[in-house]
Amino acid sequence: MKVSVRKDGSALSHAPDNWHAVDWRRVERNVRGMQIRIAKATREGDWRRVKALQRMLTRTLSAKLYAVRRVTQNQGARTAGVDRELWDSPESRWRAIGRLKRRGYRPLPLRRVFIPKANGKERPLGIPTMRDRAMQALYLLALEPVSESTSDPNSYGFRLNRSTADAMSQIFVVMARRSSSQWVLEADIKGCFDWINHDWLESHVPMDREILRKWLKAGLIYKGQLQVTEAGTPQGGIISPTLANVTLNGLERELVAHLGAKFGLAKAKKLKVNVVRYADDFVITGDSREVLESEVRPWVEAFLAVRGLQLSEEKTRITHIDDGFDFLGWNFRKYSGTLLIKPSRKNVQTFYRKVADTISGNKTVKQEDLIRLLNPMLRGWAQYHSPVVAKQSYSRMESLVFFRLWRWSKRRHPNKNTDWVRRKYFHSAGSRHWVFAVPLVRDDGSKGLLELYQLSGMAIRRHKKVKGDFNPFDPQWEQYGEQLRQERMWESMRYRKQWASLYMSQSGKCAHCGSALTEESGWHDHHLEYRMHGGSDALSNRVLLHPDCHRQVHVGKLVVAKPAPSLH
């Protein structure tokens, strides 16, 4: 039940008449119930029922509300499409609900932008309008239960509760033993998002074909010119990653089935062929170079050709595990028979360049502001590599960053001596010296230090891999999925101790609507008694809410009860 009521004690209406009156717990329950039914029909192979349920879901008010909330809460919500329209007010979001209709829908062209890649090249992005983003989010709600139910077990990119760390862990599982396969086909698809065949997508993606065709043929606006799109799904659309996943689904299952049919199950197993995929990047292990060259690669090329895709000659290679290979920012290599996974040299260099550019680009800012700019970058990079052998990389990066900050400090005071600069910008914290930090006064009046994040303080923890058969839309996996979500959210919050404490005390749920707090939904820190009314920053006076729930509480002047402590 909802734990929030109006201050006058009156109940909230079940039929919302504005954005702040929406019962998000009811919305989520309605959408998830339909998605579970779609997934069940998919597993049973009842495609007529799948189509009927998808049509029903995309017409419901709950799904439309959910879609609008998703596109107005994510990071791209402040980036407009070609119509320059943003849904940045509750009124505009509420009006948007009525515009999500299939009849008469015509998507506008995408706005073409380019973002720099690590190799110096640029990645093209297509930015849809807010309305088109919301329509994609709406139809994705109906497509996702099907794609999750038909995906390969070792596909980890752009899927619920799956991550790069899961892909890394699976490679460790299939290559760590002395008896494991020794050879790897490092595969890279040439411009995957840009070349997927439209006819193949329209014939094989289980969703409304007419709507899909309109998105694929919408075109691009670049430098004021309309460009026709004859192939591909533009990077930047909410539904594009799932379309790419659907396109590559079957790569693992069909390859294993092909080898089993050709060589027999017993011999095929001895070939030790395993596929691990993250989005359009994948590796395939094998017992010998010959099996990867003569059997696996030709089959993969034929599989991709049907979909309008091909392997990149310059990035696709066959490597022995003793020589090592890079995948998802890590280097996998055996040293005297022991598999070690470390941050790749390219990843380390790219990150250092990003940090160095941030420092050199902020020569005149306050020390406190520079620390607040750098800390999220350092913490995020350290957390990404925390499941692998990264201590040496942390120490090396810490040294490089220190010398950059020393140069930054010295440059600001060319007429001061070294000792003066050290006392101004560097302090001692416990047993640590030369800590880049600035003194501050906390809200409770006590004095402390705002320190630069310590990379070497990040603990190395082995990642617990998701089970390959996990389906977030299958009720039998409900308990496993809930536990997995909470564990991973706890890991992401672990170094933000106060948020982590609040999250665990609320059992990972919003204190207002009772629905799950996730990385996708985001969260706000709400004071039960407002600070302007004398409320403190103590944990007993704070709860975590969804961003929309937080706005709903303030606009409706609702009272939120502190959740009872968790028994777990």
Side-chain angles (χ1 to χ4, degrees):
M1 287 183 64
K2 239 172 134 72
V3 295
S4 304
V5 295
R6 290 192 177 91
K7 287 191 175 181
D8 62 5
S10 61
L12 293 171
S13 169
H14 291 314
D17 55 4
N18 66 77
W19 186 256
H20 291 306
V22 177
D23 182 343
W24 290 109
R25 188 178 186 184
R26 178 182 291 269
V27 165
E28 191 168 305
R29 188 167 61 239
N30 291 345
V31 170
R32 181 157 179 80
M34 288 292 292
Q35 289 180 316
I36 288 172
R37 292 170 66 189
I38 292 170
K40 182 174 183 290
T42 302
R43 293 193 302 274
E44 294 171 352
D46 189 348
W47 294 105
R48 289 185 64 183
R49 182 161 177 76
V50 167
K51 190 173 181 180
L53 289 170
Q54 286 181 319
R55 188 186 305 116
M56 193 184 306
L57 175 59
T58 55
R59 294 177 179 180
T60 63
L61 175 62
S62 290
K64 292 177 181 180
L65 286 164
Y66 199 101
V68 171
R69 184 173 76 165
R70 174 170 180 176
V71 301
T72 54
Q73 278 192 177
N74 65 19
Q75 289 183 337
R78 288 172 290 186
T79 305
V82 294
D83 62 355
R84 301 295 174 182
E85 182 182 355
L86 291 175
W87 296 344
D88 51 4
S89 69
E91 293 76 22
S92 60
R93 292 171 194 170
W94 184 251
R95 288 194 300 269
I97 305 298
R99 297 172 60 193
L100 302 187
K101 295 178 180 178
R102 183 181 186 278
R103 179 175 293 179
Y105 170 65
R106 283 184 63 85
L108 292 174
L110 307 172
R111 182 163 70 92
R112 173 68 92 193
V113 296
F114 291 88
I115 59 172
K117 294 170 66 173
N119 60 8
K121 297 181 180 178
E122 292 184 318
R123 173 181 285 113
L125 289 184
I127 310 298
T129 64
M130 292 298 294
R131 184 192 181 199
D132 293 335
R133 268 178 259 177
M135 285 292 283
Q136 289 189 19
L138 177 62
Y139 280 85
L140 180 58
L141 290 174
L143 176 60
E144 215 164 25
V146 183
S147 67
E148 282 291 335
S149 301
T150 55
S151 288
D152 291 325
N154 292 305
S155 159
Y156 297 100
F158 304 112
R159 294 181 60 192
L160 296 172
N161 287 319
R162 294 182 181 234
S163 66
T164 52
D166 290 309
M168 175 273 295
S169 299
Q170 178 61 18
I171 293 176
F172 185 86
V173 167
V174 299
M175 301 203 77
R177 298 179 181 176
R178 290 189 178 272
S179 59
S180 298
S181 49
Q182 300 294 303
W183 293 89
V184 176
L185 170 65
E186 303 174 64
D188 184 88
I189 300 173
K190 186 176 181 180
C192 177
F193 284 86
D194 297 326
W195 295 106
I196 300 176
N197 184 279
H198 283 180
D199 292 335
W200 190 94
L201 284 171
E202 290 176 26
S203 301
H204 293 85
V205 176
M207 65 167 287
D208 189 310
R209 190 173 298 181
E210 184 178 337
I211 292 291
L212 177 59
R213 185 185 300 115
K214 287 179 178 180
W215 286 335
L216 297 175
K217 303 298 184 184
L220 297 158
I221 295 287
Y222 181 58
K223 292 183 177 179
Q225 299 293 317
L226 176 64
Q227 300 176 359
V228 178
T229 47
E230 298 294 345
T233 61
Q235 296 184 62
I238 286 178
I239 205 169
S240 294
T242 303
L243 293 179
N245 267 340
V246 172
T247 302
L248 296 175
N249 278 344
L251 180 65
E252 179 182 357
R253 283 196 175 100
E254 292 179 27
L255 175 57
V256 171
H258 163 74
L259 295 174
K262 185 169 183 177
F263 298 105
L265 294 178
K267 186 176 179 182
K269 194 172 183 179
K270 291 179 181 177
L271 297 177
K272 300 175 184 175
V273 172
N274 298 280
V275 181
V276 180
R277 179 168 68 85
Y278 187 90
D280 58 334
D281 292 328
F282 59 94
V283 295
I284 304 179
T285 68
D287 195 42
S288 67
R289 174 184 282 274
E290 289 70 30
V291 72
L292 292 176
E293 277 184 346
S294 60
E295 292 295 336
V296 173
R297 180 163 180 168
W299 184 90
V300 170
E301 288 175 339
F303 175 89
L304 295 175
V306 174
R307 294 154 174 77
L309 303 172
Q310 59 181 344
L311 293 176
S312 167
E313 289 295 333
E314 59 186 37
K315 295 181 181 178
T316 301
R317 60 182 69 88
I318 296 174
T319 313
H320 194 277
I321 190 61
D322 288 347
D323 298 323
F325 65 94
D326 291 350
F327 187 60
L328 301 176
W330 292 299
N331 178 261
F332 299 76
R333 185 177 175 184
K334 276 191 174 179
Y335 299 83
S336 303
T338 301
L339 178 63
L340 295 184
I341 307 171
K342 303 177 181 181
S344 70
R345 180 177 298 178
K346 181 180 176 182
N347 179 275
V348 171
Q349 290 173 344
T350 301
F351 178 70
Y352 172 66
R353 178 47 50 200
K354 181 180 178 183
V355 172
D357 289 346
T358 300
I359 295 171
S360 62
N362 290 276
K363 293 183 176 72
T364 60
V365 301
K366 293 180 180 178
Q367 183 184 9
E368 178 181 345
D369 295 335
L370 182 61
I371 291 173
R372 294 190 190 280
L373 274 174
L374 293 175
N375 277 358
M377 296 165 56
L378 296 170
R379 183 186 293 109
W381 186 77
Q383 281 187 307
Y384 184 81
H385 293 296
S386 63
V388 304
V389 183
K391 279 295 185 183
Q392 188 175 354
S393 297
Y394 290 163
S395 297
R396 173 65 176 156
M397 184 63 68
E398 220 164 42
S399 297
L400 292 171
V401 173
F402 168 81
F403 286 116
R404 276 280 174 176
L405 291 172
W406 177 247
R407 286 169 58 189
W408 179 89
S409 304
K410 288 274 288 179
R411 181 189 177 279
R412 292 161 73 90
H413 306 281
N415 298 323
K416 298 292 185 179
N417 62 35
T418 298
D419 195 50
W420 187 94
V421 174
R422 179 187 63 78
R423 289 197 307 271
K424 179 170 178 60
Y425 292 103
F426 295 87
H427 301 265
S428 295
S431 60
R432 297 167 57 223
H433 305 291
W434 286 85
V435 177
F436 190 71
V438 61
L440 54 77
V441 179
R442 301 189 182 97
D443 290 338
D444 60 4
S446 62
K447 294 182 179 180
L449 285 176
L450 174 64
E451 303 175 27
L452 185 74
Y453 181 79
Q454 184 190 6
L455 289 171
S456 57
M458 173 63 71
I460 302 297
R461 294 172 180 265
R462 189 164 182 176
H463 180 76
K464 183 179 178 182
K465 191 182 85 70
V466 67
K467 293 182 180 179
D469 294 332
F470 169 62
N471 185 341
F473 300 105
D474 187 343
Q476 71 175 5
W477 288 98
E478 183 74 26
Q479 187 175 355
Y480 173 81
E482 182 70 14
Q483 182 181 356
L484 183 71
R485 180 184 62 79
Q486 289 200 23
E487 286 175 356
R488 296 198 169 180
M489 279 291 287
W490 165 254
E491 280 298 311
S492 70
M493 286 182 167
R494 189 155 48 91
Y495 295 96
R496 301 168 185 177
K497 294 180 181 178
Q498 293 194 346
W499 281 353
S501 297
L502 291 173
Y503 180 83
M504 295 305 289
S505 71
Q506 295 174 205
S507 301
K509 295 181 179 178
C510 172
H512 173 61
C513 72
S515 297
L517 293 164
T518 65
E519 291 278 11
E520 183 185 2
S521 72
W523 59 86
H524 282 178
D525 193 341
H526 172 68
H527 288 70
L528 300 177
E529 183 179 357
Y530 297 171
R531 280 184 292 184
M532 62 186 296
H533 295 154
S536 73
D537 280 327
L539 292 181
S540 58
N541 188 47
R542 290 157 57 194
V543 290
L544 297 180
L545 307 175
H546 290 127
D548 266 319
C549 290
H550 196 198
R551 285 185 283 268
Q552 199 174 61
V553 166
H554 279 273
V555 171
K557 297 180 180 179
L558 309 178
V559 177
V560 182
K562 185 76 174 176
S566 172
L567 298 177
H568 300 297

